[in-house]
Amino acid sequence: MTQQHTEGAGPVDAGPAQAGPAVTATGDEVFQVETHGIDPIPDEERHGGAKDLFWLWFGSNLTFTYVINGALAVSFGLSFWQATAAVVVGGLAFFAISAAGLSGIRTGTATLVISRAPFGVRGNWPAGLLNWIVSIGYTIVNTVVGALALEAFCADLGWHGSTARAFALAVTMVLTFAVALWGHATVQFAERWMAYILAVGFAALLVFLIPGADTGASTGGVPGASGWSLAFVVMLAGPFSYVPMPADYTRYLPRTTSLRSITWSGALGGLISSVALGVAGVAAATQADMSDAVAGAEGLLPGWFQPLFLALVLGGSVTNSIITLYSSSLNLQVLGIPWSRSKAILISAGVTVVGSLYALFLTDFTDSLLSFLSLLIIVFAPWGGVFLADMVMRRCRYDAPSLHAGRDGAYWYRGGYHPAGVVALLAGIVFASLTCDSELWTGPLVAPLGGADLTLLGSVVSALVYWALARRTVAPAA
């Protein structure tokens, strides 16, 4: 098979690169449609450096979501400093997410292809489907938030009604879809330049919100196990949602890129932006009613800055939606959609448009969607535990051709399922289900635990079970 088959979901020739003149990444150029999908990136097309990951994770996490998360921590009964500590702990989780990107450097493919190693080719499929649903769900939420911010800006100019709302949605979708359609190089380029602009704006937001913060004790008294656990679930859910994505953005990096460099670069990017905006939300919640976070924060700002604030909300929504929409197109190839990445993204974009139209014009289902998405951490925390444990046990050394070989590869296991991975995943899901406290489901162990939500510990349970079952059979590939 020739290297002309670059964007499909099937196996490609893993032989040595052909000699020739040094060229730039012909399949990955800024403002040109990326020609690769989940197929392994050839060594001669690898490019970039670890510093690119800083801007990717910094820019994509400059989103108003973290302001909302910080405000939620205060609503759970935490004081300013307690909530700030929870925000910092959540930000530190980006070190694990960034380190997971080494798997992309070693294999040259996407995270949800690599996860065939711990779960098997068929065993990986259900989580792949759920991840696509989560990616599209959060893309819809971000799109709606961005469109509403732009609509509010239009209202300030005197333009009201459904036409203004439709215009706001169209602009938000075009900004997101165009970048994600072009692909990896354009995603990184856009995240970097949007980060420059958004960082200045959000820094100004911090200047307005931090000085007025009430740093005293929480109004609700000493927070119990429920308050602390819910705060940690909210803070860690953001980084955990990226576990199925890091290799998507490292697969083009040269094989010589070190674990230390990608870990620090990516982690600092996500840490700085998420912590800064989380603290802004904490500060705002000690001064105003943040049940409507956008309106609450806007009320604390000087009048001249409010239009810029709405632009920040829009820009942050777009930067986050770009990476989730892009990864969703790779996700569809993993699920077996026989289309190129650039065509597969049309499915994700179409579903996003329909969902956003439904939310904006027919009924407000955003809260219900968020509740549903938050419930899926019951699956993704244990999934992440198995994936990260397997990555450590293999030392990020996979049989790369077998990841794409189906029945003929080493990761077919028994009928396409890896028993150790599937059993460990189910064990983690059971634990998470028993200890989950959400609007849609409360586990039977929550009350005996004093209201504590231990959902995230499902990742630890699944990782330990996987290690116990697979420690004699899972090893680094030669």
Side-chain angles (χ1 to χ4, degrees):
M1 185 176 295
T2 68
Q3 288 292 344
Q4 291 175 344
H5 181 75
T6 53
E7 199 179 354
V12 299
D13 183 7
Q18 297 297 319
V23 294
T24 57
T26 56
D28 188 38
E29 299 281 2
V30 176
F31 301 132
Q32 295 184 20
V33 176
E34 178 188 5
T35 60
H36 285 293
I38 61 172
D39 52 297
I41 307 302
D43 285 344
E44 67 270 19
E45 295 192 28
R46 301 287 190 99
H47 64 99
K51 66 180 182 299
D52 296 327
L53 298 177
F54 173 86
W55 293 110
L56 176 82
W57 292 111
F58 180 71
S60 62
N61 285 285
L62 284 173
T63 172
F64 194 74
T65 300
Y66 289 105
V67 177
I68 298 174
N69 290 349
L72 283 173
V74 176
S75 73
F76 296 146
L78 275 63
S79 69
F80 176 88
W81 293 113
Q82 290 168 337
T84 297
V87 167
V88 172
V89 170
L92 292 174
F94 278 102
F95 278 92
I97 303 305
S98 190
L102 182 61
S103 59
I105 295 173
R106 293 275 175 81
T107 63
T109 192
T111 305
L112 283 169
V113 175
I114 299 166
S115 60
R116 290 168 176 168
F119 297 105
V121 176
R122 287 178 172 169
N124 188 55
W125 200 91
L129 177 61
L130 284 174
N131 182 70
W132 182 78
I133 294 172
V134 169
S135 296
I136 295 304
Y138 279 117
T139 304
I140 291 172
V141 171
N142 278 320
T143 300
V144 169
V145 171
L148 291 176
L150 183 54
E151 182 189 16
F153 180 78
C154 292
D156 291 340
L157 298 177
W159 187 11
H160 303 271
S162 58
T163 304
R165 177 166 288 192
F167 169 78
L169 175 60
V171 170
T172 306
M173 274 304 305
V174 167
L175 290 174
T176 303
F177 174 70
V179 175
L181 175 66
W182 273 318
H184 175 267
T186 310
V187 168
Q188 289 196 319
F189 176 85
E191 294 290 353
R192 175 191 290 264
W193 284 99
M194 292 181 74
Y196 293 156
I197 299 170
L198 292 175
V200 174
F202 278 118
L205 181 69
L206 285 168
V207 170
F208 292 127
L209 295 181
I210 296 294
D214 179 2
T215 58
S218 65
T219 56
V222 179
S226 175
W228 277 108
S229 64
L230 288 172
F232 282 126
V233 166
V234 167
M235 299 307 165
L236 290 168
F240 255 84
S241 69
Y242 292 122
V243 172
M245 297 184 190
D248 301 2
Y249 304 100
T250 58
R251 70 194 203 280
Y252 278 96
L253 293 178
R255 294 181 187 273
T256 54
T257 309
S258 69
L259 172 61
R260 181 189 296 272
S261 64
I262 67 164
T263 299
W264 279 95
S265 294
L268 287 177
L271 174 69
I272 293 171
S273 53
S274 65
V275 169
L277 297 187
V279 172
V282 172
T286 64
Q287 305 170 65
D289 178 10
M290 293 289 283
S291 54
D292 182 341
V294 174
E298 188 177 14
L300 298 172
L301 303 173
W304 65 266
F305 188 75
Q306 290 177 6
L308 296 177
F309 168 71
L310 294 174
L312 290 176
V313 176
L314 170 62
S317 297
V318 170
T319 59
N320 195 258
S321 293
I322 285 171
I323 67 167
T324 56
L325 190 60
Y326 173 79
S327 287
S328 74
S329 64
L330 299 175
N331 199 159
L332 286 173
Q333 288 192 314
V334 174
L335 294 176
I337 298 296
W339 289 3
S340 65
R341 183 206 61 83
S342 57
K343 290 181 179 178
I345 203 172
L346 295 173
I347 298 176
S348 297
V351 175
T352 300
V353 169
V354 172
S356 300
L357 287 170
Y358 188 77
L360 289 170
F361 291 98
L362 297 179
T363 183
D364 183 6
F365 82 126
T366 307
D367 289 340
S368 299
L369 179 60
L370 281 171
S371 298
F372 170 69
L373 293 173
S374 65
L375 188 63
L376 289 182
I377 197 171
I378 290 176
V379 175
F380 280 103
W383 185 92
V386 175
F387 176 78
L388 294 174
D390 181 81
M391 187 184 73
V392 171
M393 292 167 70
R394 296 182 194 275
R395 300 177 187 173
C396 261
R397 298 188 182 280
Y398 301 88
D399 181 348
S402 286
L403 292 172
H404 302 268
R407 294 175 179 271
D408 299 324
Y411 304 124
W412 186 253
Y413 300 112
R414 298 179 184 175
Y417 298 89
H418 187 199
V422 173
V423 170
L425 176 62
L426 292 175
I429 290 174
V430 169
F431 177 87
S433 300
L434 294 174
T435 59
C436 175
D437 184 13
S438 70
E439 292 185 13
L440 299 181
W441 168 257
T442 300
L445 295 184
V446 172
L449 290 170
D453 184 334
L454 304 182
T455 311
L456 288 172
L457 290 183
S459 61
V460 178
V461 171
S462 63
L464 291 175
V465 172
Y466 184 73
W467 175 82
L469 295 176
R471 69 185 188 278
R472 299 183 184 279
T473 56
V474 169

